[in-house]
């Protein structure tokens, strides 16, 4: 019997469930430089590079959705183009508290240097440079 294996290639998008789509869009646009797009029937998403975060507002989730969809449950690592000292300066200028870092971490392809912040829902956002 031949075993067929699924081979994943890439992440196309992920969904963030948020308390306020407006507040989330403002934070990711103004602090992290994402583009806010509208797609489908007025749905919102955040884009950067070749990545997309679709947004669902608590109580108005698009179906199907995660079994326990709630705001503030994500823990994401994002690779920045800017050196981490520039990221830290931009966060300080925007009044965004840095929870931890810079600290060494291990990413999907090797070592990282990372800062940790929280978005408006309390999601943990790791901003990293590959080292």
């Amino acid at each position: 019997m031949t075993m067929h294996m699924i081979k994943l290639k890439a992440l196309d998008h992920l969904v963030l469930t948020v308390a306020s789509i407006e507040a989330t869009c403002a934070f990711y646009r103004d602090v992290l430089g994402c583009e806010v797009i509208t797609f489908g029937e007025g749905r919102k998403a955040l884009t950067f590079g070749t990545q997309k975060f679709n947004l669902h507002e608590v109580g108005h989730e698009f179906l199907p959705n995660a079994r326990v969809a709630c705001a503030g449950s994500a823990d994401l690592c994002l690779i920045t183009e800017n050196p981490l000292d520039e990221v830290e300066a931009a966060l300080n200028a925007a009044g965004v508290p840095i929870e931890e870092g810079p600290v060494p971490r291990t990413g999907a392809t090797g070592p990282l240097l990372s800062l940790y912040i929280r978005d408006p829902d309390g999601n943990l956002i790791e901003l990293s440079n590959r080292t």
Side-chain angles (χ1 to χ4, degrees), residues 67-125:
R67 183 167 289 136
V68 183
C70 60
S73 63
D75 183 338
L76 307 170
C77 179
L78 305 173
I79 305 299
T80 68
E81 289 186 21
N82 313 72
L84 220 53
D85 60 338
E86 289 179 16
V87 172
E88 187 170 8
L91 294 170
N92 288 333
V96 176
I98 296 170
E99 218 167 273
E100 187 176 347
V103 292
R105 293 293 188 247
T106 302
T109 63
L112 302 174
L113 189 62
S114 301
L115 292 172
Y116 291 86
I117 63 171
R118 295 211 180 256
D119 74 4
D121 289 298
N123 292 308
L124 186 64
I125 308 299

Side-chain angles (χ1 to χ4, degrees), residues 14-27:
L14 62 84
V15 174
L16 286 178
T17 301
V18 302
S20 166
I21 287 178
E22 184 178 315
T24 298
C25 288
F27 177 83

